[in-house]
Amino acid sequence: RFKGVVVLHTKLMWRAPVDSSWYPGTPCVLMQAHYDNPNGSTTVDDSGVRLHISSRPRALVARSIRLNIRSINIPPQQERFFLTSTSSVDVDPATRVDNVYTHAHLLAREYYMLIWRDGKAHHVFKDANWSFGRPFNNTVPPSERNIRLRSGDVLQHTCVYNSSTRTATTRYGPDTDDEMCLAYFDYSVPRNASDLVRTQGAIWTGPLAPGVD
């Protein structure tokens, strides 16, 4: 919307206060927005948020988990360098995945998300032309959002980078020239259900030959 400014990620969540000095008195709503402004635009974002509050609680409660690889060290001059992380989950049988949002930075070229169940891989997200400049395309399509999770499922996400223009190692960090490999799983469960429990598994990293998945 703004020339030279790309809205990378906007996330709105409800969170109870961890420290009353941060959020005095009551639970609060937190909004986080990330921008990239490579052209130095001075435009001010004056967009807003509209909240609707109901006195009748919904049957399902929206929750979210984050899959994040922090041990990122991408060597320079690599056309395809991958990072893969796995996590096992313990979930309520009624858990429904509503959306999967993927995020990385400038070097990322491919992104893959799988659910392994009974030895078989089920694709949740697959983009062999992933782009930092297309943040709203980096989610699971609406038609594929009715995904159920089971206890024992293994979540696997992979980022593939092209560092051929870099002359130094690229590491994890919040700046656009740093890198990330993370995904948010937004899910719904019955109001009295337990939270999803995630256990970190193996992480793999290394160069990939062209055409190899």
Side-chain angles (χ1 to χ4, degrees), residues 79-208:
E79 289 191 10
R80 294 184 82 216
F81 190 87
F82 81 96
L83 292 171
T84 295
S85 176
T86 61
S87 302
S88 59
V89 294
D90 184 14
V91 299
D92 186 277
T95 300
R96 181 191 70 201
V97 177
D98 298 314
N99 191 28
V100 176
Y101 173 84
T102 62
H103 180 71
H105 291 174
L106 293 173
L107 299 186
R109 296 293 185 273
E110 305 167 46
Y111 204 115
Y112 307 99
M113 175 71 68
L114 302 172
I115 296 176
W116 287 93
R117 178 181 299 162
D118 299 327
K120 295 182 180 180
H122 305 270
H123 283 278
V124 176
F125 181 89
K126 182 178 182 180
D127 191 345
N129 295 287
W130 196 95
S131 173
F132 175 78
R134 296 187 286 107
F136 297 108
N137 292 335
N138 298 330
T139 63
V140 175
S143 61
E144 300 175 14
R145 288 181 184 172
N146 190 23
I147 303 166
R148 299 286 177 172
L149 288 176
R150 299 178 186 172
S151 290
D153 284 352
V154 175
L155 310 180
Q156 176 180 311
H157 72 295
T158 298
C159 295
V160 181
Y161 305 93
N162 184 340
S163 64
S164 58
T165 61
R166 297 287 173 93
T167 57
T169 298
T170 302
R171 294 182 169 83
Y172 176 90
D175 291 347
T176 305
D177 289 333
D178 299 327
E179 265 306 337
M180 288 188 172
C181 182
L182 66 86
Y184 289 96
F185 263 75
D186 296 332
Y187 65 97
S188 297
V189 291
R191 180 162 295 278
N192 296 323
S194 301
D195 279 336
L196 182 155
V197 177
R198 181 178 71 89
T199 303
Q200 181 65 52
I203 297 177
W204 300 281
T205 183
L208 273 180

